[in-house]
Amino acid sequence: GNPPVIPIFVPPPGSQSVGASGGTFNCAPWFLMINPGNVPGGGTLDCGSLNLNAVPPAPTGVTFLRVPENVILYDSNGNKLTSFNPPLQMCYIYSDAELAAAGGDPANFVVITSPVGGTTWEQLPTTVDVAAHRVCGSTTHLTLFALSAKSPTKIPATGDGTLPLWLIVVVLLGGAGAGWLVIRRKTI
C-alpha cells in the first residue's frame, strides 16, 4: 500500500518563529510578549488574519482605537496553543491622537478580547506605561484583541470655575479708579 500521509505544518504568511525561550514579537501595530516556557517546543506566531465581518461590536462605553487583531500561536506541529501560564502580554504603542480619543487620560485605555465568532468583549487586566506610551493587556489565551478606550466619564477640567484673586483685584481697582475719575471730573 501507500505510505501514511504525514501532515506538514505550513506557517501562515507574515508569521514569526517562536522559540522555547519566548521573547517580544513585533506584529506592527501591536506586539506580543511571550514568557520562557510558554511554547516549550517552539512554534509559530500568526500575526493575524481576520474577517472584520466576524468581529462583534465594541461594548457599550468603549471605543475601538484600532482594528481588532486575531492572534494565533501554533506549536511545532501546527496545533493551536490556547492556554498560557504565566500570562502573555498583548501590547500596543499608543499615539497622541489615541490618547486624545481616550479623553487625554491614559487610565481610560483598555485592551479587550473576544473569542473568534463570539458576540461580546471582555476587558483584560490592563497596564499603561505613560513614559513609553505603551498599553498592555495580560492574557492567558489568544484570540481577538483590540486596543480600546473607555468613554471618559467627564470632560477634562481646565480650571475649577473660580476667578483668580489677581483678576478680582484688577477689576476692583479698575472700577475704583474709574469711579474716582468720574467724581474728580464732576468737582473740577
Side-chain angles (χ1 to χ4, degrees), residues 58-123:
T60 303
V62 173
T63 302
F64 290 136
L65 297 178
R66 305 253 177 101
V67 173
E69 302 287 345
N70 183 26
V71 183
I72 304 169
L73 189 55
Y74 299 95
D75 67 15
S76 59
N77 295 318
N79 301 307
K80 288 183 183 179
L81 297 172
T82 57
S83 182
F84 303 94
N85 186 13
L88 309 175
Q89 297 295 310
M90 179 69 181
C91 300
Y92 301 85
I93 300 297
Y94 64 86
S95 67
D96 290 339
E98 288 165 328
L99 179 59
D105 185 354
N108 286 331
F109 286 122
V110 61
V111 178
I112 58 176
T113 184
S114 177
V116 174
T119 58
T120 60
W121 291 90
E122 174 187 329
Q123 179 177 329

Side-chain angles (χ1 to χ4, degrees), residues 158-178:
T158 57
D160 63 3
T162 60
L163 293 175
L165 181 59
W166 66 266
L167 183 59
I168 295 170
V169 171
V170 168
V171 169
L172 290 176
L173 289 177

